[in-house]
Amino acid sequence: MSRGTGQERLPFIGSLACQASLLYGVVMVSLLTLMIWVLKDRHDHELAAERDSALAHAELIAEWASSAFTRTDDTLSGLANLFSLSLDAESENSLSNAFASLLAERQRSLPFLESLGILSHTGLPLYTTRAQDFSGVDHEERAFIRRFLQNQEKVKSAVYWNPGVTGHRMLYLRRMFDTEGLFTGVAAAHLDLLYFAHELQAIQLAPGESVTFLDDELRLIARRPGLEGVAVTQALGLRIETPEVAELLQGDDSRAAIIASPLDGERRLFGMGRVEGLPFAVVVGHSLSHALAGWRDKVVLLMLGWVVVAVLGGVLLRHYLRLKRTETELLTSEKRLHHLNQSLQAELDIAALAFDTHLGMFITDASGAICKVNSTFEAITGYRAEDVLGKNPRLLNSGRHDADFYRGMWRNIHEQGSWQGEVWNRRQNGEIYPQWLTISAVRNDMGKPSHYVATLTDISLRRAAEQEVHRLAFYDPLTGLPNRRMLLERLAQALQAGEQQERQGALVFIDLDGFKHINDSLGHQAGDELLRLMSRRLVDVSGTAELVARLGGDEFVILAEDLGDTIEATSRRAERLATRVLGMVAEPCWLGKRRHLLSGSVGITLLCDGADDAEACLQQAEMAMYQAKHAGRNTWRFFDPTMQAVAVRRALLESELRQAVPRDQLRLHYQIQVDRHARVTGVEALLRWEHPEYGMVPPGDFITIAEESYLIVTIGDWVLEQACYQLADWARETRTAGLGMAVNISPMQFQQPDFVTRLEAILAASGASPERLKLELTENLFMDEPNAVRETMLRIKALGVRFSLDDFGTGYSSLSYLNRLPLDQLKIDQSFVRPLFADDVNRVICASIIDLGRNLGLEVIAEGVETQAHHDWLEEQGCHAFQGYWFGRPQPLAELERQLNEPVCIAGE
C-alpha cells in the first residue's frame, strides 16, 4: 500500500494538529479552573478557620474578664446580704464587727478593686475602705449615683466610667435590700481598669495576633501589643470612632469581620466576644498576612505546578506536531528535545524551591517509605533527611493515638484522596507535641497511589496560649488551686448529681486566723509563701476525692462529695474532715528561720441542706465559718442548726462515754437462755449506759460511737471482767453454779494483739470457770484475716472457753470457715425468728441453720423467740436452746436473781 505523497499527508497532519491543540487547550483550561476552585475553597476554609479561632479566643478571654467582674458582683452581693443582716436588731452585735472586717478583707483579696463601700439610700457613704473615694467624687459621678438611686425600673447593678476625670477607675454599683425587701442602699466598688492591661501581658500571642478591650462607646481599655510611643495610661479611654469597628460591636452576639486596624493600620480578621453583664467587648485580631501565609504558599506551589504542566504539555505538543509534519527533521527535533530537557530541569528547580516553604513537607512512595523531606520538616521534627529517608513515618508516632485512629485516617485517604487533622507526634529528642497534618495521595494513570505528600505545622504555641487563657480563667495564679469560678461550676454539678443519687456531700469553708498579722508585719512575699504552704497542706489533708479551691485572700474551700447516704453519716465524716483541717492549720509554719502559729475557723454546710444554687450553698458555708469565728475561732460550725445539734450531741456523747467507766455509769443486764425443756442454762450479758442526766441511753446511740472512737476496747474489757466476776459469784451458790455466761466481743476488741493475755488475766483474777464462759463473735470478724482469727480462737479454746457464732445468716455466711473454726454453737439471728410465720423464706432459713448445726455437731440457739408458736415450731425442727421475750426480757442483776430463786416458769403461763 502506498504511503502517499507529502502533499496528500498535509491535510491529515493539519487535522491532527488541530485536535491535539484543542485537547491541550481544554485540558489546561480545565486544570486552571479546577486549581482556581481549589484555591478559592482553601482560601475560604483558611479564613473560616481563622474566624473560628479568633472568635473562640475572644470568647475565652471574655469569659475570663467576665469571671473577674463576676467576682466583683459576687463580692458586692455578699456585702449586700451581710449588710442586710447587720441591720437586723437581733444580729447587730454579732455581725456588725464581722461586716466591717469582711469589707476590708474583700477589698484586699481582689487585686482589681481599689476601694469598697456601702452607700445609704440617699447616696451618703456608710462603710468604706477609703472614705475619700466616695465622698470626693466628681459631680458627674455623683449625678450618676443619684440617677441610679432614683431609677424607677430598680436596675440591679450599673457601671460608670469617665476617662477624662476618673482615669483608670470605673465605678460599679449594686442595689441592696433588707430582709423584708425594702431598699436600704448601694454597695459600691472602684475597679482598676489597668489590671486588665497588666493581665494581658501574661497571655501568649501568636505572630500577628492582637487582643483589645473596648467599651460600648468605642473607648479603649487595654490592648496587647501596646500602641507604639503611647503609654498604657495615655491610651486608656482613647476613642476609636470608625464605622467598621462600630458595626463589629453592634448587638450582643459574637461576630467577626476583616478590618484595617485603626490603631496600627494592619489588615486583620477580628473576632468579637461580649463580657457578660457589662458594656464591654473583647476583640481578638489575627493578621491576614500570617493567617493566609500557608494559603499563599499553596498558590505559588500550584501555579508553579500548572506552569510546569503547561510548559511540558506545550513542548510535547510541539514535539508531536513536528514529528508528524516531517520525519526528516530528526536531528532538529533531537536538538530541540535537548532544549526541552533543559527547560524541564529549570522547572523542576523551581518546584524544588516551592518545596522548601514554612510548612514541613515529606513525600513517601506507595509502600510508605520516605523519599524526600524539606528543611522545615527537619526544623520541626529534629530529624535530618539522612535519618528518615527510606524509613516509615511511624517513627514519628507519639503513642497517644490507637490503631482505630490510624485506620480511620487511611480510610479517608483511600476513599477521598486526602486527610487532615490534629496529631500528636514525637520529636527526635523525645518531646511530644501537637501538629496539624495534611496527607494527600498522588495517583498514576491506573488510578493507584504512586506517592503520598504530607504537610505538617507545629501548633504547640497556639495550644500553649489556649491553655494559658484557660488557666487564668479557672485557676488561682498564686497557689495553682482552682478558683471561685471553677468551684462554682463543680459545686453546681455536685448539687445536681446529689438530687439524682442517694450519696451526699459537704462544703467546707476555711479562713486562716492570724494571717493578716503575718502578712502586714512580714510583707506580702511572706504572706504569699504562707498561702502556698497552706494550699499544699489542704490538698494533702483533703484526699484525692475532694476539690480544694482558693477564693481569694486567706479563704479556702473544700468540696467533699460522696461522704455518705444519710445525713448523720455525712455530717460525721464532714466533722472529721474539719477536725483534720484544724489540726493541719495549727501545725507550726516556718517562713525562713522564723516559726509561726496559726489557727483556723471552719464552716460546714451539707449539699443536701436546701440551697437552691451554688452561690447560696457557698454563702451558707461562709456564714457557718463566721459562726465559728464568733465562737472563739480554732473550731468548726455547721450551718444547719439541726445538724449542728446532731454533731454537738454526738461529740457530747463521745466525751461523756469516755468518763462512763471511771464514773461507774455502765451496767450489765442479763437475758436468760433456756433449753428445750424450759430450764435456764445461762444468760447473755447485755451492756447498758445509765447516765445521770440523759437517763438510760439506748445501745444503738452509743455502741457505734464507741466503735468509731476505739472506746469499745476499754468498754469491752470492762464487760468481760464484770461478767467473769459474776460467774465466779454464781459458782459459789448451788442453784446458780451451773449457769453459763455469753459475752459479745467486738471484732476490734478480739483483734487486739494482747486480747488472749488480758482474757487469761481476767479469768485468773476473778476465779471464773472458763468452761462457763461463752464468747459470741459475729461473722464479719472472719472476712479480713480468717487464718489469724482461727489461731486466736484455738489459743482461747485451749483455755476451756466456748464460742458461739452470733447473728448467723446475716453476714459472711460461708460454709468454708464453719468446718475450720472451733465453734460450739450457732445463734439464729432474731431477724429470721421474729417474722417466722410472715414469710416461708424465714422458716426455710431457720430449718436449714438447724440442720447445718446438727450435721456439723454444733448446738443451735434461736434468739428473738417471742411466742409459744415460735418455740414449738423451732423445737419441732430440732433447735437446742432459746432466748427471747417469751422467756424473759433483759433485766438487772437483782431482778434476775429473784427470778432464778423462784421455780422456773415460762412467761405467759
Side-chain angles (χ1 to χ4, degrees):
M1 179 179 294
S2 174
R3 297 178 60 189
T5 65
Q7 293 293 333
E8 293 173 342
R9 297 182 63 194
L10 284 177
F12 176 71
I13 294 174
S15 176
L16 288 177
C18 290
Q19 293 178 7
S21 299
L22 179 62
L23 178 61
Y24 171 77
V26 171
V27 171
M28 294 311 299
V29 170
S30 299
L31 285 176
L32 182 60
T33 303
L34 178 62
M35 184 180 69
I36 293 174
W37 179 83
V38 170
L39 288 175
K40 183 179 183 305
D41 180 70
R42 175 55 58 184
H43 180 273
D44 295 341
H45 178 77
E46 293 284 351
L47 285 182
E50 288 298 325
R51 176 184 180 275
D52 294 341
S53 177
L55 284 174
H57 204 175
E59 291 174 356
L60 192 58
I61 296 178
E63 289 180 9
W64 165 75
S66 177
S67 69
F69 281 100
T70 299
R71 292 171 64 187
T72 302
D73 190 75
D74 293 341
T75 296
L76 294 183
S77 175
L79 291 176
N81 293 339
L82 192 57
F83 179 72
S84 299
L85 291 176
S86 69
L87 297 178
D88 189 344
E90 294 182 0
S91 60
E92 181 175 3
N93 294 331
S94 60
L95 290 179
S96 58
N97 293 333
F99 173 77
S101 62
L102 178 63
L103 196 66
E105 290 177 2
R106 281 290 179 270
Q107 192 264 325
R108 289 193 298 271
S109 66
L110 301 175
F112 46 83
L113 291 187
E114 281 201 353
S115 59
L116 283 171
I118 298 298
L119 310 182
S120 71
H121 66 280
T122 62
L124 295 177
L126 298 178
Y127 295 90
T128 63
T129 56
R130 292 168 56 180
Q132 66 273 17
D133 285 351
F134 296 96
S135 59
V137 296
D138 67 282
H139 68 280
E140 293 185 10
E141 186 171 297
R142 288 197 298 271
F144 175 80
I145 294 176
R146 286 197 301 273
R147 288 194 301 271
F148 178 79
L149 292 172
Q150 297 168 2
N151 192 332
Q152 298 301 321
E153 298 178 357
K154 302 302 182 182
V155 178
K156 179 181 179 182
S157 60
V159 297
Y160 171 80
W161 181 37
N162 186 353
V165 178
T166 60
H168 63 275
R169 298 197 313 174
M170 168 180 284
L171 177 65
Y172 188 93
L173 302 177
R174 183 181 181 90
R175 201 177 298 274
M176 301 185 306
F177 301 92
D178 63 12
T179 56
E180 298 180 358
L182 298 178
F183 175 63
T184 59
V186 175
H190 276 117
L191 312 181
D192 183 4
L193 296 181
L194 292 179
Y195 167 80
F196 297 97
H198 173 73
E199 290 299 312
L200 281 182
Q201 304 308 311
I203 300 178
Q204 294 184 358
L205 300 182
E209 187 177 11
S210 67
V211 180
T212 308
F213 276 88
L214 295 172
D215 68 359
D216 281 355
E217 295 184 18
L218 304 182
R219 294 179 297 189
L220 182 67
I221 298 175
R223 186 180 190 267
R224 185 180 177 206
L227 302 181
E228 187 174 356
V230 180
V232 175
T233 54
Q234 294 174 339
L236 191 67
L238 178 64
R239 191 177 297 275
I240 305 174
E241 296 181 343
T242 62
E244 295 85 356
V245 175
E247 183 178 357
L248 178 64
L249 265 63
Q250 285 181 353
D252 296 330
D253 297 329
S254 300
R255 57 180 64 190
I258 298 176
I259 303 173
S261 173
L263 298 177
D264 57 14
E266 185 170 358
R267 193 167 177 79
R268 288 187 171 90
L269 191 155
F270 290 96
M272 183 274 290
R274 281 287 177 187
V275 178
E276 183 179 355
L278 290 170
F280 278 54
V282 176
V283 180
V284 174
H286 287 185
S287 171
L288 288 181
S289 61
H290 288 83
L292 296 178
W295 177 80
R296 292 192 183 94
D297 290 337
K298 290 183 177 64
V299 171
V300 173
L301 185 62
L302 289 176
M303 288 301 298
L304 288 176
W306 186 86
V307 170
V308 170
V309 173
V311 172
L312 180 60
V315 172
L316 290 177
L317 177 62
R318 290 177 61 195
H319 180 61
Y320 173 77
L321 294 177
R322 289 181 180 183
L323 284 177
K324 290 301 180 181
R325 291 177 61 183
T326 177
E327 296 177 357
T328 61
E329 298 178 352
L330 180 60
L331 294 176
T332 305
S333 298
E334 290 177 352
K335 184 179 179 179
R336 290 177 178 173
L337 182 60
H338 176 69
H339 290 303
L340 173 63
N341 289 335
Q342 289 181 338
S343 177
L344 287 174
Q345 184 61 44
E347 299 299 334
L348 290 175
D349 291 341
I350 295 174
L353 291 175
F355 188 66
D356 284 330
T357 69
H358 77 287
L359 297 174
M361 298 183 67
F362 66 92
I363 301 175
T364 72
D365 59 18
S367 64
I370 298 177
C371 304
K372 186 173 179 58
V373 300
N374 67 354
S375 58
T376 309
F377 172 90
E378 294 178 328
I380 292 176
T381 66
Y383 287 97
R384 295 176 300 175
E386 54 267 27
D387 297 332
V388 298
L389 292 180
K391 297 182 180 179
N392 193 285
R394 282 193 296 268
L395 63 89
L396 303 175
N397 289 357
S398 65
R400 285 197 177 188
H401 305 291
D402 56 17
D404 290 338
F405 174 82
Y406 292 106
R407 277 196 291 268
M409 172 195 295
W410 285 106
R411 187 184 308 113
N412 275 18
I413 295 173
H414 294 322
E415 294 177 357
Q416 304 176 13
S418 64
W419 178 90
Q420 64 176 348
E422 184 177 314
V423 177
W424 286 84
N425 273 344
R426 187 187 304 272
R427 305 187 205 271
Q428 188 183 34
N429 61 7
E431 177 189 354
I432 296 176
Y433 69 103
Q435 62 177 214
W436 188 263
L437 180 64
T438 301
I439 303 177
S440 301
V442 180
R443 303 184 185 275
N444 57 22
D445 296 339
M446 304 297 293
K448 295 183 178 180
S450 61
H451 294 81
Y452 297 97
V453 179
T455 62
L456 53 93
T457 304
D458 187 348
I459 60 174
S460 55
L461 286 179
R462 180 187 301 177
R463 181 60 59 82
E466 294 173 353
Q467 292 175 349
E468 178 65 17
V469 172
H470 181 271
R471 186 188 66 81
L472 289 174
F474 290 98
Y475 289 89
D476 173 50
L478 176 63
T479 63
L481 294 177
N483 61 12
R484 181 189 185 94
R485 180 178 180 184
M486 178 175 283
L487 170 68
L488 291 177
E489 288 189 4
R490 282 286 302 275
L491 181 55
Q493 296 171 4
L495 289 173
Q496 184 177 6
E499 295 177 355
Q500 303 171 356
Q501 302 174 359
E502 295 182 355
R503 306 294 289 176
Q504 301 178 21
L507 196 66
V508 181
F509 195 110
I510 304 109
D511 183 85
L512 302 180
D513 303 326
F515 170 78
K516 182 179 182 300
H517 172 73
I518 295 176
N519 195 53
D520 293 343
S521 60
L522 300 183
H524 294 293
Q525 184 175 0
D528 291 347
E529 182 181 352
L530 181 59
L531 289 175
R532 285 190 289 266
L533 172 62
M534 285 300 173
S535 66
R536 291 192 297 270
R537 288 186 179 181
L538 283 174
V539 171
D540 292 339
V541 79
S542 65
T544 58
E546 286 83 17
L547 174 76
V548 182
R550 178 179 177 237
L551 298 185
D554 58 349
E555 293 178 344
F556 298 85
V557 172
I558 300 176
L559 173 59
E561 301 182 59
D562 196 17
L563 291 182
D565 52 7
T566 64
I567 293 179
E568 290 76 9
T570 303
S571 61
R572 186 164 57 249
R573 292 190 175 98
E575 173 192 337
R576 292 177 185 171
L577 175 59
T579 303
R580 293 200 306 270
V581 167
L582 290 175
M584 175 277 298
V585 172
E587 293 178 2
C589 302
W590 290 91
L591 299 179
K593 296 182 178 180
R594 299 184 62 179
R595 180 174 178 267
H596 300 274
L597 295 176
L598 296 178
S599 63
S601 297
V602 177
I604 310 170
T605 184
L606 302 185
L607 301 189
C608 60
D609 227 4
D612 297 332
D613 54 26
E615 284 287 357
C617 188
L618 184 59
Q619 276 194 349
Q620 289 182 357
E622 186 174 15
M623 294 302 294
M625 182 272 293
Y626 280 108
Q627 293 178 17
K629 277 187 178 295
H630 296 154
R633 305 189 176 191
N634 195 31
T635 187
W636 49 263
R637 286 294 183 269
F638 278 96
F639 170 77
D640 185 356
T642 303
M643 285 291 53
Q644 179 72 27
V646 171
V648 169
R649 183 176 185 273
R650 182 188 176 280
L652 182 60
L653 281 178
E654 180 179 337
S655 176
E656 292 291 322
L657 188 58
R658 293 184 182 277
Q659 304 299 321
V661 173
R663 291 175 179 175
D664 193 25
Q665 295 175 357
L666 297 182
R667 303 288 184 265
L668 284 186
H669 284 197
Y670 304 91
Q671 187 174 28
I672 62 173
Q673 297 176 340
V674 302
D675 60 13
R676 59 175 52 192
H677 303 296
R679 293 176 300 190
V680 178
T681 59
V683 297
E684 179 180 3
L686 299 172
L687 180 63
R688 297 292 186 266
W689 180 14
E690 188 176 1
H691 193 277
E693 181 178 351
Y694 307 140
M696 194 66 72
V697 182
D701 287 357
F702 70 87
I703 292 297
T704 302
I705 296 177
E707 291 175 342
E708 293 179 352
S709 59
Y710 299 99
L711 292 174
I712 194 67
V713 176
T714 303
I715 294 175
D717 286 351
W718 180 88
V719 172
L720 193 58
E721 183 177 354
Q722 296 298 315
C724 287
Y725 274 100
Q726 187 59 55
L727 265 180
D729 288 344
W730 283 343
R732 300 184 185 95
E733 300 291 335
T734 303
R735 180 172 176 79
T736 57
L739 291 179
M741 178 79 73
V743 179
N744 290 284
I745 304 296
S746 74
M748 187 179 301
Q749 180 186 6
F750 189 86
Q751 291 169 348
Q752 296 299 308
D754 59 343
F755 176 72
V756 178
T757 303
R758 294 205 307 272
L759 176 61
E760 289 180 311
I762 291 173
L763 289 172
S766 64
S769 172
E771 292 77 12
R772 297 297 178 186
L773 179 64
K774 180 170 59 180
L775 303 184
E776 293 195 356
L777 309 177
T778 55
E779 296 177 85
N780 56 358
L781 174 65
F782 312 110
M783 296 181 62
D784 294 332
E785 297 180 356
N787 293 330
V789 172
R790 180 176 181 272
E791 292 299 323
T792 303
M793 292 180 66
L794 290 175
R795 291 174 58 192
I796 297 174
K797 189 71 172 178
L799 301 177
V801 178
R802 302 171 68 235
F803 287 103
S804 175
L805 187 57
D806 196 11
D807 301 337
F808 184 73
T810 62
Y812 190 46
S813 297
S814 174
L815 300 180
S816 62
Y817 70 82
L818 286 179
N819 196 34
R820 299 178 62 243
L821 299 178
L823 295 172
D824 299 283
Q825 185 183 71
L826 296 181
K827 195 170 192 179
I828 305 176
D829 188 68
Q830 59 186 349
S831 62
F832 302 124
V833 177
R834 286 178 176 172
L836 186 65
F837 301 108
D839 191 345
D840 293 340
V841 175
N842 294 322
R843 292 194 295 275
V844 171
I845 293 175
C846 291
S848 300
I849 295 174
I850 294 172
D851 289 339
L852 179 64
R854 182 187 304 112
N855 294 330
L856 294 176
L858 300 177
E859 182 186 59
V860 178
I861 183 174
E863 65 175 345
V865 179
E866 298 181 348
T867 66
Q868 181 70 49
H870 286 159
H871 171 267
D872 295 343
W873 188 90
L874 290 168
E875 183 182 23
E876 182 180 349
Q877 300 300 317
C879 188
H880 304 94
F882 310 90
Q883 178 180 344
Y885 289 175
W886 183 249
F887 305 101
R889 293 176 176 268
Q891 51 192 330
L893 177 63
E895 296 181 11
L896 173 67
E897 290 183 338
R898 279 198 299 269
Q899 181 179 356
L900 294 177
N901 289 328
E902 297 174 357
V904 176
C905 178
I906 298 177
E909 289 187 352

